[in-house]
Amino acid sequence: MRKPTKAVLTGAAVAALLVPCTVNAVANSGRGRPHQDTSATTLGALGKRAGLRIGTAVDTSALAEDASYRARAASEFTSVTPENVMKWDAVEGQRGRYDWSEADKLVDFARANGQLVRGHTLLWHNQLPGWLTTADLGADELRAVLRKHITDEARHFKGRIWQWDVVNEAFDDDGTLRDSIWLRKLGPGYIADAFRWAHEADPKAKLFINDYNIEGVNAKSTALLELVTRLREQHVPIDGVGIQGHLAVQYNAPHDIAANMKRFDDLGLETAITEADVRIPMPSDSTGQEAQAEGYDVLLRGCLLTRRCTDFTVWGFSDTYSWVPSTFEGEGAATSSTRTTGPSPPTGRSWTT
Ligand code: G3I
């Protein structure tokens, strides 16, 4: 784990990035009180004015080892998402043997800070344990293994998870279902089964399907809309759609996000921005940072303008711990922690650099 440096972002920089656009967006969205009240001291307090939870993904190693990170994770946000510790490889590294310790610590942290927890994620094609990916199980055994995993994990956290990302990244960008172990062995019905099993295990949790590149109206978001329409018609217990919101300044911001999100809202589904970050080609400069602020603003406005959008979660608030540099060579600063120019936050707090 990288050592924390001075560059660790405090909530001030996150607030400074998000507070201006949050204040404006909330004030103009019709969801907040009409006047622009900049007295809110945290992102969470601002979001509350619009009936929105503002959350962050949490790196639990940083939470344990970095006091500044821990303080800001506790104070700025009203929901948290485990970045990795509820994924299959983290909780069931050996078949049938669970280690909930890291995930339980985060749930306890959230409870101590009055935060809700977005569970992430019961079923994905990535971060699967080796015993599963190398076993080449037959369809019946794989289905039984999947049902047991979803049931065991949802039962373990029963009553402590607000929203579950039940199925993560089921689609390809062209709108076809992703070629995964799940689709190949179990067929497209694995998606409905996952939701039924999760609901059986924790009837009170809100159950979401989550994906990236579905911010605007495109083949992928339309295919997802068609799927969730069918699932609702089949009375599959699905409550919402998670729109990850991983943007990059070299691509246009999804200005049609509100129109897209309305399509899901019109079905009576909840929505959430679940993993917002906006990466910049490095070294970042004021142009990149302005484009980044626009990206966050577009995502936040899309949520604020959508009746049942309940949560706006950033995928981390410190570039020191961001997934971006190790994934996109030459890009970074996705959480704006290196921003040293631009307006000081209305709360008068200083920047960190
Ligand atoms: O736990 C091991 C550790 O034992 C080992 O020493 C270390 C070095 O190899 O790797 C550690 O695992 C890493 C894991 O994060 C936990 O830190 C993996 O290598 C690394 O690939 C993994 O990256 C995560 C990535 O998902 C995996 O695809 C990122 O932190 C996480 O931010 C990212 O999050 C995903 C969402 O879950 C779904 N949406 C996309 C988003 C970005 O990819």
Side-chain angles (χ1 to χ4, degrees), residues 3-209:
K3 286 289 166 219
T5 66
K6 252 173 64 62
V8 171
L9 171 70
T10 66
V14 177
L17 168 78
L18 286 177
V19 160
C21 66
T22 310
V23 168
N24 295 330
V26 166
N28 303 327
S29 68
R31 279 178 58 161
R33 287 195 293 274
H35 65 284
Q36 286 200 12
D37 165 14
T38 57
S39 62
T41 55
T42 67
L43 289 168
L46 261 173
K48 228 172 231 172
R49 284 186 43 228
L52 189 61
R53 287 193 179 262
I54 306 283
T56 183
V58 174
D59 177 325
T60 51
S61 303
L63 198 69
E65 297 165 14
D66 183 335
S68 169
Y69 179 97
R70 184 179 182 90
R72 295 301 173 182
S75 62
E76 287 290 340
F77 303 97
T78 46
S79 72
V80 293
T81 303
E83 186 172 5
N84 288 296
V85 295
M86 284 187 190
K87 291 171 179 174
W88 200 325
D89 65 346
V91 298
E92 193 183 359
Q94 297 176 56
R95 184 170 178 172
R97 296 187 59 187
Y98 293 100
D99 176 2
W100 307 114
S101 55
E102 289 308 307
D104 282 340
K105 282 181 205 162
L106 180 60
V107 171
D108 292 346
F109 172 86
R111 187 178 289 259
N113 292 294
Q115 298 162 324
L116 295 183
V117 180
R118 297 202 78 257
H120 179 79
T121 177
L122 292 173
L123 172 54
W124 193 20
H125 64 277
N126 203 349
Q127 290 181 270
L128 296 171
W131 64 263
L132 178 58
T133 54
T134 57
D136 193 21
L137 301 178
D140 292 346
E141 188 178 7
L142 183 68
R143 194 167 184 281
V145 160
L146 176 58
R147 179 170 193 166
K148 184 177 187 311
H149 175 76
I150 290 176
T151 302
D152 290 347
E153 180 153 20
R155 267 196 195 138
H156 175 78
F157 293 107
K158 185 175 180 179
R160 299 188 288 164
I161 301 295
W162 173 41
Q163 298 176 346
W164 264 116
D165 287 337
V166 175
V167 173
N168 191 43
E169 302 177 9
F171 282 91
D172 277 337
D173 284 352
D174 64 0
T176 60
L177 285 175
R178 178 186 294 273
D179 175 23
S180 71
I181 179 179
W182 309 115
L183 183 67
R184 282 196 304 277
K185 293 270 179 96
L186 305 181
Y190 82 87
I191 296 173
D193 284 341
F195 280 93
R196 291 188 184 104
W197 297 332
H199 180 70
E200 221 174 287
D202 186 354
K204 291 216 173 85
K206 296 279 190 176
L207 306 180
F208 278 57
I209 188 166

Side-chain angles (χ1 to χ4, degrees), residues 175-244:
T176 60
L177 285 175
R178 178 186 294 273
D179 175 23
S180 71
I181 179 179
W182 309 115
L183 183 67
R184 282 196 304 277
K185 293 270 179 96
L186 305 181
Y190 82 87
I191 296 173
D193 284 341
F195 280 93
R196 291 188 184 104
W197 297 332
H199 180 70
E200 221 174 287
D202 186 354
K204 291 216 173 85
K206 296 279 190 176
L207 306 180
F208 278 57
I209 188 166
N210 188 49
D211 218 325
Y212 62 89
N213 287 357
I214 57 168
E215 293 76 21
V217 177
N218 56 40
K220 190 171 187 179
S221 61
T222 300
L224 178 59
L225 179 73
E226 289 162 0
L227 170 69
V228 297
T229 302
R230 285 197 305 277
L231 293 176
R232 298 277 279 190
E233 286 164 356
Q234 296 158 10
H235 307 295
V236 172
I238 180 169
D239 302 291
V241 172
I243 296 167
Q244 291 185 9

Side-chain angles (χ1 to χ4, degrees), residues 241-311:
V241 172
I243 296 167
Q244 291 185 9
H246 293 296
L247 305 184
V249 297
Q250 58 270 40
Y251 307 117
N252 291 332
H255 289 282
D256 59 347
I257 185 168
N260 177 44
M261 293 178 75
K262 186 176 182 303
R263 302 193 298 173
F264 296 100
D265 197 81
D266 287 348
L267 288 177
L269 284 165
E270 293 184 22
T271 49
I273 303 294
T274 55
E275 306 184 14
D277 54 24
V278 186
R279 61 186 187 271
I280 303 175
M282 300 303 279
S284 77
D285 55 19
S286 57
T287 306
Q289 288 161 7
E290 278 160 31
Q292 178 182 63
E294 186 206 355
Y296 275 109
D297 191 58
V298 165
L299 291 172
L300 183 56
R301 285 181 192 279
C303 180
L304 287 165
L305 293 171
T306 302
R307 199 175 12 172
R308 295 181 186 85
C309 184
T310 57
D311 187 277

